[in-house]
C-alpha cells in the first residue's frame, strides 16, 4: 500500500494516524517532492475509477491562474487535465491510497481509509 501525502495537510496526517493505529504496512510518497508523472497519474486515475478533474483541487491559486474552472471536462481534454496535475502537483486531491488489490481511494475520510485497509 502506498499513500500520497502532503505533510502539511490535516487529512493526510489523520490518514497516517489511522494507518499506524491499525498496524498497516505502507509506503509514504510526498507527492509534492516526488512528483508523479503523467503516466503515474493516469494509472492512479484508472485505479480510482475517476477522471482527472474529479481529483483536482480547483480552489488552489494555480487552478485560477490556469483557468481550470473554464476547461471542458470530457475525453478530449483528459490529457490536458492530467498534464496540469503532473506540472502542478499541488492540484492533486489528497491523500490518495493505492491498495494492494490494485484499487485506490481518495482517503479524506476515516471510512475511505478503512476501505483501503480492507483491500490490502
Amino acid at each position: 500500500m502506498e499513500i500520497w501525502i502532503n505533510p502539511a495537510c490535516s487529512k493526510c496526517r489523520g490518514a497516517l494516524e489511522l494507518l499506524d493505529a491499525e498496524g498497516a504496512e505502507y509506503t509514504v510518497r510526498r507527492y509534492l517532492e516526488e512528483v508523479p508523472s503523467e503516466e503515474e497519474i493516469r494509472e492512479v486515475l484508472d485505479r480510482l475509477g475517476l477522471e482527472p478533474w474529479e481529483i483536482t483541487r480547483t480552489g488552489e491559486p494555480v487552478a485560477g491562474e490556469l483557468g481550470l474552472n473554464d476547461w471542458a471536462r470530457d475525453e478530449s481534454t483528459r490529457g490536458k487535465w492530467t498534464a496540469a496535475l503532473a506540472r502542478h502537483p499541488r492540484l492533486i486531491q489528497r491523500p490518495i491510497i493505492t491498495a494492494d488489490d490494485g484499487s485506490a481511494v481518495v482517503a479524506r475520510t476515516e471510512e475511505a481509509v478503512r476501505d483501503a485497509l480492507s483491500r490490502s
Side-chain angles (χ1 to χ4, degrees), residues 15-57:
L16 291 173
E17 288 172 9
L18 182 53
L19 292 174
D20 289 342
E22 295 295 325
E25 292 185 25
Y26 61 91
T27 302
V28 170
R29 179 171 185 168
R30 294 177 180 220
Y31 71 94
L32 296 178
E33 297 167 14
E34 187 183 340
V35 178
S37 67
E38 287 183 49
E39 182 178 331
E40 289 175 302
I41 292 169
R42 281 190 298 273
E43 179 185 310
V44 165
L45 287 166
D46 289 343
R47 293 174 78 168
L48 288 165
L50 296 174
E51 295 293 340
W53 48 86
E54 293 176 300
I55 66 161
T56 300
R57 298 171 52 84

Side-chain angles (χ1 to χ4, degrees), residues 20-117:
D20 289 342
E22 295 295 325
E25 292 185 25
Y26 61 91
T27 302
V28 170
R29 179 171 185 168
R30 294 177 180 220
Y31 71 94
L32 296 178
E33 297 167 14
E34 187 183 340
V35 178
S37 67
E38 287 183 49
E39 182 178 331
E40 289 175 302
I41 292 169
R42 281 190 298 273
E43 179 185 310
V44 165
L45 287 166
D46 289 343
R47 293 174 78 168
L48 288 165
L50 296 174
E51 295 293 340
W53 48 86
E54 293 176 300
I55 66 161
T56 300
R57 298 171 52 84
T58 57
E60 289 289 326
V62 69
E65 293 168 15
L66 295 172
L68 289 182
N69 289 320
D70 296 328
W71 291 9
R73 296 175 183 211
D74 58 33
E75 185 60 33
S76 70
T77 60
R78 192 173 203 261
K80 181 179 180 179
W81 282 89
T82 304
L85 293 173
R87 279 192 309 273
H88 307 282
R90 192 165 297 283
L91 293 172
I92 300 171
Q93 189 59 263
R94 60 191 183 251
I96 294 176
I97 298 176
T98 55
D100 295 339
D101 72 351
S103 64
V105 297
V106 178
R108 295 190 55 76
T109 65
E110 180 178 333
E111 294 78 23
V113 176
R114 291 195 183 284
D115 182 37
L117 282 166

